[in-house]
Amino acid sequence: MTEVKDRIAAASGPDEPSGPPALGLVGWLRWTWRQLTSMKTALVLLFLLALGAVPGSLIPQTPIDPIKVSDFLTAHPKLGPLYDKLGLFDVYKSAWFSAIYLLLFISLIGCVVPRLAVYLKALRARPPKPPRNLNRLPGYQSFEIDTAGEAGDAGDVLDAATKELKRRRFRVEAYDGAVAAERGYLREAGNLLFHFSLILALVGVAWGSLFGYRGTALVVVGNGFSNSVAQYDDFTPGRAFGGDDDLPPFSLTVNDFQVKFQQDGPQKGAAREFKAQLTYQETPDAAEKSYELQVNHPLKLDGSSVYLLGHGYAPRVTVRDGQGNVAFSGPAPFLPQDSNFSSFGVIKAPDARPKTLGFEGFFLPTAVIDKATGPVSVFPDDLNPVLVMTGYYGRPQPESGKPESVYQLDKSKLTQFEQNGDKWRFQLGPGQTVALPDKAGSITFDGYSRWVKLQVSHTPGTDLALAGILLAILGLMGSLFVHPRRTWVRVREQDGRTVVEVAGLDRGPERGLGDEIQAVTERLKPAGSKNQEQP
């Protein structure tokens, strides 16, 4: 017995390792590709792309507002550098966001291309032959023909079945003693169109992010704007943007601005109309043209669009220093803080001597003195304009080269004026002047102008992305409302009788299959025929 076991062991050779065989490099690559191109992975990547865009809305972005980014780094010395390393100050150009975008693009292509080949093959394929046991299908009806055994009667039934199924938009194929039909090919076409449209939308968004740009500029009425990067208050270029050479060389001047507000009722103060009168030149040598710029009616210039986004007030002020020299003169845009256009702003006079001067406060277009809160604006139109401000002074500082906001006053090295032991504040109407404490100079409220906020954008991939969205809706409708279905009609002999069987199968959730099988049966059933008992 022992010798037999030894011989068997010797014949079987050495012990083979148990478990599945190693995949190898090619196997691992194939497995990785299948995982990447699965629909589950595409959905996960789409979710990650949406999740990755959230920091771009919550954290200040360098291309949009570098000053806020600088302030964030100063205020958060530990968290700021970490955000910077993670690319959270420029999310849409970070390596990780680009990786998610690229993987989603590859995943969608990997999903669509193989399915497209399978779909094209299915389009060329014939409807399948009827299964052996039609009575096992969810939809089934049968009846007998009285004149059994006559080939003509069977042929007439199959001819009638062919016409009826074609009328119901089935693709029909004749077999020996049977007819096979299939419809609903557009369902898979809808699925493919939906996925292809996502690729198209991604291409459009990528195209726009590479070659497009968007910027905003605040222009005081009477002033002009030239389309160069230096003229923008904030500017967001695409990755492939090449500087001023890629900007169309147009220029414009804001000649006038009209606005109408609701005068009474529950929506008193709401803007009913605002429009700007422009003159523009498409090139420096082109003739000057006029245009009335309104909301949702942009000015189109060489592929770029100029939009009217907002408006406000810019008090015109003259500041004289302690030596009597003009340290500042001109309009200073103030930003609206509420629906009544109480506008906050600052005025900087860094060249004033012997002390630098700065002011901050409010412009109130319709000022009313409130005993509890002080001066407030009660209407957005300029019915009683008043400038309410306070002043600061400090030692002259050398230029640091650090960007500063024209809407914020850095008071870290300034001291607020005082008078009689209290913080000094003043209130001016148009044409009024007030002397600064300690003979530091004076400030005059010369009047005010209006300003408009313009957005200039160039998004070359918008039409492509819009086409992708529309195609996605169309594909989704096809996949939801088209129901694939197979139907068979067979004539067979059974115990000397001619039996006609009608059966169907839904390739998906059943939706009215029994009703259609019944309707087809009634159309094919000759007068006087009788139904068979259903299993």
Side-chain angles (χ1 to χ4, degrees):
M1 189 68 179
T2 304
E3 292 180 359
V4 174
K5 291 183 178 180
D6 293 340
R7 289 178 183 179
I8 293 175
S12 62
D15 294 339
E16 295 182 1
S18 60
L23 288 177
L25 178 61
V26 176
W28 277 110
L29 291 175
R30 185 182 293 113
W31 179 85
T32 302
W33 174 253
R34 287 177 180 174
Q35 296 301 313
L36 178 61
T37 56
S38 67
M39 184 54 58
K40 180 180 179 180
T41 302
L43 292 175
V44 170
L45 289 172
L46 192 61
F47 173 75
L48 289 177
L49 190 71
L51 189 64
V54 173
S57 302
L58 302 178
I59 300 174
Q61 300 293 292
T62 301
I64 297 176
D65 197 337
I67 295 176
K68 282 189 177 180
V69 173
S70 178
D71 293 342
F72 187 94
L73 289 169
T74 303
H76 304 84
K78 293 184 178 180
L79 190 61
L82 178 61
Y83 280 9
D84 193 23
K85 290 181 181 179
L86 295 176
L88 297 182
F89 293 124
D90 197 356
V91 167
Y92 305 109
K93 291 184 180 179
S94 63
W96 56 268
F97 190 86
S98 300
I100 296 174
Y101 196 93
L102 183 61
L103 287 174
L104 176 60
F105 191 79
I106 295 173
S107 180
L108 287 173
I109 292 178
C111 288
V112 170
V113 173
R115 291 178 62 180
L116 179 61
V118 173
Y119 177 67
L120 294 176
K121 184 178 179 181
L123 282 179
R124 296 190 299 267
R126 301 166 62 191
K129 293 181 180 181
R132 178 178 300 178
N133 300 311
L134 288 177
N135 58 355
R136 295 182 179 178
L137 297 180
Y140 178 78
Q141 294 285 331
S142 66
F143 60 89
E144 296 178 8
I145 298 176
D146 291 338
T147 55
E150 297 184 16
D153 292 334
D156 291 343
V157 171
L158 294 179
D159 290 342
T162 299
K163 293 179 181 179
E164 176 64 17
L165 292 172
K166 285 184 177 180
R167 187 181 71 83
R168 293 175 178 270
R169 301 184 182 277
F170 281 88
R171 191 173 69 176
V172 181
E173 185 71 26
Y175 291 97
D176 185 19
V179 170
E182 188 172 8
R183 73 179 180 197
Y185 292 94
L186 288 180
R187 181 185 179 91
E188 181 62 16
N191 289 330
L192 291 172
L193 181 61
F194 178 77
H195 291 89
F196 172 76
S197 65
L198 291 181
I199 297 174
L200 197 64
L202 288 175
V203 171
V205 172
W207 187 10
S209 65
L210 284 174
F211 301 100
Y213 63 86
R214 183 180 69 253
T216 59
L218 190 151
V219 183
V220 178
V221 173
N223 292 352
F225 169 81
S226 296
N227 193 28
S228 63
V229 176
Q231 290 275 299
Y232 287 97
D233 296 326
D234 58 76
F235 187 78
T236 306
R239 288 193 171 188
F241 180 76
D244 284 338
D245 293 338
D246 288 349
L247 295 175
F250 68 84
S251 60
L252 58 87
T253 301
V254 181
N255 298 312
D256 193 15
F257 178 76
Q258 299 96 32
V259 59
K260 293 181 180 179
F261 297 99
Q262 181 77 26
Q263 299 293 325
D264 51 20
Q267 294 189 354
K268 179 181 179 181
R272 293 307 178 200
E273 179 185 43
F274 54 94
K275 53 190 176 181
Q277 305 297 332
L278 309 180
T279 54
Y280 68 94
Q281 293 177 283
E282 297 188 33
T283 63
D285 300 328
E288 196 173 73
K289 301 178 182 179
S290 299
Y291 188 79
E292 185 176 84
L293 187 64
Q294 301 184 46
V295 177
N296 298 326
H297 292 80
L299 172 63
K300 304 286 187 178
L301 292 170
D302 194 16
S304 298
S305 300
V306 182
Y307 295 89
L308 178 60
L309 294 187
H311 61 99
Y313 293 95
R316 296 193 307 273
V317 175
T318 298
V319 177
R320 295 182 180 274
D321 60 18
Q323 298 176 352
N325 300 319
V326 175
F328 175 87
S329 181
F334 280 38
L335 302 180
Q337 304 297 306
D338 56 31
S339 60
N340 288 321
F341 275 63
S342 299
S343 303
F344 178 82
V346 302
I347 299 169
K348 301 180 182 181
D351 297 329
R353 296 294 183 270
K355 301 175 181 178
T356 61
L357 301 174
F359 305 87
E360 69 176 12
F362 287 88
F363 174 81
L364 308 175
T366 302
V368 172
I369 305 300
D370 187 285
K371 294 182 179 180
T373 61
V376 295
S377 178
V378 296
F379 194 72
D381 213 352
D382 51 347
L383 303 181
N384 181 32
V386 169
L387 193 61
V388 180
M389 305 194 77
T390 186
Y392 298 84
Y393 65 94
R395 298 179 57 184
Q397 301 292 327
E399 290 288 342
S400 63
K402 180 182 176 181
E404 294 184 4
S405 172
V406 297
Y407 308 111
Q408 295 178 355
L409 184 65
D410 183 6
K411 300 187 287 289
S412 61
K413 298 181 180 179
L414 297 176
T415 303
Q416 187 174 7
F417 282 111
E418 294 185 358
Q419 195 171 50
N420 300 325
D422 294 328
K423 302 296 184 183
W424 179 68
R425 295 176 178 85
F426 62 91
Q427 178 178 322
L428 293 176
Q432 294 180 347
T433 301
V434 64
L436 305 182
D438 303 326
K439 298 182 180 181
S442 65
I443 179 171
T444 302
F445 182 20
D446 299 316
Y448 55 93
S449 301
R450 293 185 184 269
W451 57 258
V452 296
K453 188 174 184 179
L454 305 178
Q455 176 181 286
V456 182
S457 61
H458 175 58
T459 50
T462 302
D463 293 340
L464 198 61
L466 179 61
I469 294 173
L470 295 177
L471 289 176
I473 296 173
L474 184 63
L476 190 61
M477 292 175 62
S479 63
L480 290 177
F481 299 113
V482 176
H483 312 305
R485 177 172 292 172
R486 288 175 176 173
T487 304
W488 296 274
V489 178
R490 181 166 61 192
V491 180
R492 62 181 175 85
E493 295 294 327
Q494 179 179 338
D495 300 330
R497 297 170 297 158
T498 301
V499 178
V500 178
E501 295 178 296
V502 182
L505 177 66
D506 275 341
R507 301 176 63 188
E510 185 176 325
R511 297 176 181 176
L513 175 63
D515 294 337
E516 184 168 53
I517 296 300
Q518 179 67 34
V520 172
T521 302
E522 295 298 328
R523 296 278 296 187
L524 299 180
K525 187 188 301 184
S529 61
K530 57 183 179 179
N531 292 335
Q532 279 197 323
E533 291 186 5
Q534 304 302 316

